């Protein structure tokens, strides 16, 4: 259980609802409370996810109860939380309260506003997953408030000295080359695509040189290179990611693996009729992980020249973290196993025994992919629990001082890494659940800095931003630094579509009178583009962030529903690392201007009528 002083009232409410539905007494697990050796059996990640999703479906059946939120702010949260506890089994009462609340809260100048029931978002969001392991008195995991995440994914405790935040594309590129050159055992790279310019060729040359050295060494290192890309994006044009990597496959067939993920949603006539480029809107492999022996770079950046020069993104370098490196190696291998394998003659084939993504049965393929990925998550989670128990709990009488004096146990970590995976085609929704819970639990006085290169939040995320209590600073790309700015054909209208979505959201903020609490900012930098995405959470009263999300998701419909995504949540108690994260956030926001009504009067913000009409139809594809 979480300690009361370190958990918000909302979290306790949700924990209670999850553990013990109304009218049912909790049953003790694993023997009588306090019995020697009794310990709750941890739920598997798949079980927790299924429970959360089932809970959501039940809540939809009584969604009329949400209308009661109009009075929530005036009547006080405690009363309404108690009242809402009665509603799940009483849909009639829920509907009655909804109608009364709707009538009381309605007046002429609010008719066009968003329904006031979104103010109830903190109560109707997914329950915080139950912490099934007892508090630990020897390690900091027993006290930090985000430990519920470990019920979904493995938890990796590290020293903050092993975490470094990078700030520029050039630094990212030079670090990549340096890490490839010294790799001895493995290089694992997952990206949307590999570009075809001279800088990308430089990376390929580094790989070739390192592989050559591994063969010529007196004691061969057994270096293995695994590259995971998207099939449609990596096959675009005559010269593409595949042709860039073929020489490596042909020269080092036993050491190099190139996997090309093909979404199972692009099949049949749809696959035959949709032309190149447009077929990429159906679904992609979007994970960005770059791994060298036991060092890992998590980023939103692809392997392309602009991402190495003048396209701003985010990057974090995890040094000497073998357990994290093992996890992401296994994750990329798992996705690779359900992907098409590039051959030396530029053909592709599936791993033997695996269902084909677009020729085979879609349901069977998705089930197999779900099992393959969830097995990685669950096995890593089990390993980390065992490691944690061996490190801190092998002797229940051992004090912290004794453990330090013994010298055979690791020091208590001050930073925790949680890998968050989102693969909706495979019914894996971990990142979505964690992100929604974090937004829900952001308390009054907390600050959330959220940034995305493509501002197209899902309806659920928008409702949480507009209906919860924390302050939000949302950073997005101005049209001039959007990656599609100046593109030919229909793609050239995409920046205008984002402006239209931005204006609609800003209008909602204004109609709800939330301009002071929710602020939009636009990034601008001459001759640069903007692709940074992620989140920084500052708890109430703190000037430094204690948590950040960093990786590939953009918080939009594509990230949640179409693409394969991965990011990490970094929770830290280290002031030095918190300072690094704060400086990263400040550096990005320093180049931004605040959005106001006057912003949309500028000539560059004028959106053509046809773009406004088409945007609602296509917003879920970009």
């Amino acid at each position: 259980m979480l300690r009361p002083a370190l958990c918000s009232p909302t979290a306790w409410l949700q924990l209670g609802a999850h553990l013990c539905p109304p009218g049912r007494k909790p049953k003790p697990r694993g023997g009588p409370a306090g019995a020697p050796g009794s310990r709750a059996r941890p739920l598997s990640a798949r079980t927790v996810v299924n429970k959360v999703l089932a809970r959501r479906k039940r809540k939809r059946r009584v969604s009329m109860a949400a209308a009661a939120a109009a009075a929530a702010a005036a009547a006080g949260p405690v009363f309404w939380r108690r009242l809402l506890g009665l509603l799940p089994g009483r849909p009639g009462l829920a509907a009655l309260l909804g109608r009364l609340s709707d009538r009381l809260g309605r007046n002429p100048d609010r008719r066009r506003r968003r329904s006031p029931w979104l103010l109830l978002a903190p109560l109707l969001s997914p329950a915080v997953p139950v912490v099934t392991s007892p508090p630990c008195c020897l390690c900091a995991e027993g006290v930090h408030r985000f430990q519920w995440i470990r019920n979904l994914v493995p938890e990796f405790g590290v020293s903050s000295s092993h975490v470094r935040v990078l700030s520029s594309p050039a630094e990212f590129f030079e670090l990549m080359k340096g890490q490839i050159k010294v790799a001895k055992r493995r290089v694992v790279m997952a990206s949307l695509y590999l570009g075809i310019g001279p800088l990308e060729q430089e990376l390929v040359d580094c790989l070739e040189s390192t592989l050559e050295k591994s063969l010529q060494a007196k004691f061969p290192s057994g270096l293995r290179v695994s590259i995971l890309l998207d099939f449609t994006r990596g096959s675009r044009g005559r010269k593409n990611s595949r042709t860039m990597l073929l020489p490596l496959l042909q020269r080092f067939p036993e050491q190099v693996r190139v996997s090309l993920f093909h979404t199972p949603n692009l099949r049949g006539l749809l696959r035959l009729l949709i032309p190149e480029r447009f077929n990429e809107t159906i679904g992609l492999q979007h994970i960005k992980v770059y791994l060298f022996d036991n060092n890992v770079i998590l980023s939103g950046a692809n392997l392309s020249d602009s991402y190495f020069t003048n396209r701003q993104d985010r990057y974090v370098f995890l040094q000497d973290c073998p357990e994290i490196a093992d996890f992401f190696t296994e994750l990329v291998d798992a996705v690779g196993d359900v992907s098409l394998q590039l051959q030396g003659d530029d053909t592709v084939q599936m791993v033997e025994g695996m269902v084909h993504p677009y020729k085979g049965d879609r349901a069977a393929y998705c089930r197999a992919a779900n099992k393959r990925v969830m097995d990685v998550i669950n096995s890593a989670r089990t390993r980390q629990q065992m490691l944690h128990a061996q490190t801190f709990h092998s002797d229940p009488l051992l004090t912290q001082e004794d453990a330090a004096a013994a010298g055979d146990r690791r020091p208590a970590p001050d930073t925790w890494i949680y890998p968050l995976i989102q693969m909706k085609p495979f019914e894996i929704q971990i990142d979505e659940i964690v992100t929604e819970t974090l937004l829900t639990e952001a308390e009054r006085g907390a600050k959330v800095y959220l940034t995305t290169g493509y501002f197209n939040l899902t309806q659920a995320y928008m409702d949480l931003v507009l209906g919860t209590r924390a302050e939000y600073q949302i950073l997005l790309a101005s049209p001039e630094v959007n990656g599609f700015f100046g593109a030919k054909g229909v793609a050239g209208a995409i920046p205008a579509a984002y402006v239209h979505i931005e204006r609609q959201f800003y209008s909602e903020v204004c109609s709800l009178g939330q301009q002071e609490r929710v602020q939009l900012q636009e990034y601008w930098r001459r001759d640069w583009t903007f692709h940074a995405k992620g989140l920084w959470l500052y708890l109430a009263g703190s000037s430094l962030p204690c948590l950040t999300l960093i990786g590939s998701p953009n918080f939009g419909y594509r990230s949640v529903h179409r693409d394969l995504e991965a990011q990490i949540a970094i929770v830290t108690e280290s002031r030095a690392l918190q300072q690094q994260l704060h400086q990263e956030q400040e550096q990005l926001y320093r180049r931004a201007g605040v959005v106001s009504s006057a912003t949309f009067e500028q000539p560059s913000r004028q959106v053509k009528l046809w773009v406004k009409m088409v945007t609602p139809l296509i917003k879920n594809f970009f």
Side-chain angles (χ1 to χ4, degrees), residues 407-423:
D408 60 350
R409 289 184 171 84
R410 300 183 182 187
D414 60 4
T415 300
W416 298 269
I417 310 293
Y418 301 94
L420 308 179
I421 313 303
Q422 183 75 10
M423 300 179 179

Side-chain angles (χ1 to χ4, degrees), residues 168-462:
S168 71
E171 187 179 8
F172 168 59
F173 182 52
E174 293 302 320
L175 179 62
M176 290 260 290
K177 290 192 298 180
Q179 288 293 305
I180 289 173
K181 291 175 181 177
V182 298
K184 296 290 188 290
R185 187 161 60 95
R186 60 186 172 189
V187 173
V188 179
M189 307 174 83
S191 183
L192 173 60
Y193 69 104
L194 172 69
I196 57 175
L199 295 182
E200 296 92 318
Q201 186 61 55
E202 200 173 325
L203 268 187
V204 175
D205 292 343
C206 282
L207 286 169
E208 185 175 13
S209 175
T210 302
L211 285 164
E212 183 66 38
K213 288 178 183 177
S214 74
L215 290 179
Q216 295 177 353
K218 186 174 182 181
F219 302 101
S221 64
L223 176 67
R224 296 289 183 269
V225 174
S226 177
I227 300 174
L228 171 65
L229 305 173
D230 182 73
F231 178 89
T232 54
R233 182 62 182 88
S235 304
R236 184 200 291 181
R238 285 191 175 182
K239 187 176 182 182
N240 51 42
S241 305
R242 294 163 64 165
T243 59
M244 290 286 289
L245 294 169
L246 280 176
L248 288 182
L249 268 175
Q250 293 164 351
R251 187 172 178 189
F252 308 99
E254 301 300 319
Q255 293 175 270
V256 177
R257 181 193 197 193
V258 178
S259 304
L260 302 169
F261 173 79
H262 191 293
T263 177
N265 295 329
L266 182 64
R267 55 177 47 236
L269 283 176
L270 189 67
R271 187 174 187 275
L272 294 174
L273 297 177
I274 297 185
E276 197 173 77
R277 291 178 181 264
F278 290 92
N279 58 8
E280 298 166 23
T281 63
I282 305 303
L284 297 167
Q285 192 306 109
H286 202 245
I287 298 169
K288 287 79 181 278
V289 175
Y290 309 109
L291 189 154
F292 319 93
D293 291 340
N294 291 331
N295 302 326
V296 185
I297 301 174
L298 266 295
S299 178
N302 291 303
L303 298 175
S304 180
D305 56 358
S306 62
Y307 292 92
F308 303 149
T309 53
N310 63 345
R311 188 157 171 78
Q312 183 63 60
D313 216 301
R314 297 182 65 208
Y315 335 82
V316 65
F317 183 41
L318 308 177
Q319 299 173 270
D320 192 23
C321 298
E323 292 92 355
I324 299 175
D326 289 345
F327 172 82
F328 279 108
T329 297
E330 292 173 11
L331 178 67
V332 172
D333 283 347
V335 179
D337 286 347
V338 300
S339 301
L340 298 163
Q341 306 301 305
L342 183 64
Q343 306 299 305
D345 58 357
D346 199 21
T347 61
V348 293
Q349 64 183 37
M350 287 300 294
V351 172
E352 186 176 354
M354 184 60 208
V355 182
H356 199 282
Y358 63 85
K359 292 180 180 179
D361 180 74
R362 182 187 180 281
Y365 172 79
C366 290
R367 282 195 302 270
N370 174 285
K371 184 180 186 306
R372 185 70 180 84
V373 174
M374 289 305 299
D375 283 349
V376 170
I377 295 172
N378 288 328
S379 62
R381 185 165 163 264
T382 301
R383 282 200 309 270
Q384 288 307 112
Q385 289 173 342
M386 292 177 61
L387 177 64
H388 177 89
Q390 292 170 2
T391 304
F392 294 107
H393 304 287
S394 57
D395 185 351
L397 302 178
L398 192 67
T399 65
Q400 190 169 7
E401 291 78 12
D402 292 336
D408 60 350
R409 289 184 171 84
R410 300 183 182 187
D414 60 4
T415 300
W416 298 269
I417 310 293
Y418 301 94
L420 308 179
I421 313 303
Q422 183 75 10
M423 300 179 179
K424 192 65 172 286
F426 306 154
E427 297 299 323
I428 298 172
Q429 300 167 245
I430 297 171
D431 181 65
E432 178 186 4
I433 291 171
V434 172
T435 302
E436 287 188 6
T437 306
L438 288 173
L439 296 181
T440 300
E441 289 298 302
E443 59 198 356
R444 187 181 302 278
K447 292 184 179 180
V448 177
Y449 288 79
L450 187 151
T451 178
T452 173
Y454 305 111
F455 183 72
N456 187 14
L457 301 183
T458 65
Q459 191 64 52
Y461 291 162
M462 282 195 291

Side-chain angles (χ1 to χ4, degrees), residues 470-597:
E471 297 178 22
Y472 284 85
Q473 298 281 342
I474 302 177
L475 181 62
L476 49 122
S478 63
E480 297 81 7
V481 299
N482 187 292
F484 291 97
F485 186 74
K488 297 179 180 179
V490 177
I494 291 179
Y498 282 119
V499 169
H500 181 56
I501 294 169
E502 176 188 353
R503 185 168 191 167
Q504 288 180 319
F505 180 78
Y506 180 76
S507 296
E508 290 204 56
V509 172
C510 293
S511 70
L512 291 167
Q514 300 290 314
Q515 300 94 311
E516 296 298 319
R517 190 180 64 82
V518 180
Q519 191 175 85
L520 295 178
Q521 298 189 44
E522 288 186 354
Y523 182 96
W524 186 89
R525 187 175 182 181
R526 186 182 297 279
D527 298 326
W528 281 58
T529 54
F530 183 71
H531 195 249
K533 69 281 302 264
L535 177 153
W536 299 259
L537 175 61
Y538 294 66
L539 296 179
S542 176
S543 60
L544 297 174
C546 65
L547 176 145
T548 191
L549 301 182
I550 180 170
S552 64
N554 282 296
F555 305 105
Y557 187 92
R558 284 193 62 109
S559 293
V560 173
H561 295 278
R562 296 187 179 278
D563 299 341
L564 306 192
E565 307 278 8
Q567 64 179 339
I568 56 173
I570 303 177
V571 179
T572 183
E573 296 177 343
S574 163
R575 190 169 181 84
L577 180 53
Q578 290 176 353
Q579 285 281 5
Q580 280 194 68
L581 296 173
H582 178 67
Q583 290 169 7
E584 178 198 30
Q585 177 268 118
E586 282 195 321
Q587 180 179 331
L588 292 173
Y589 280 72
R590 193 177 296 127
R591 296 184 179 275
V594 177
V595 172
S596 66
S597 299

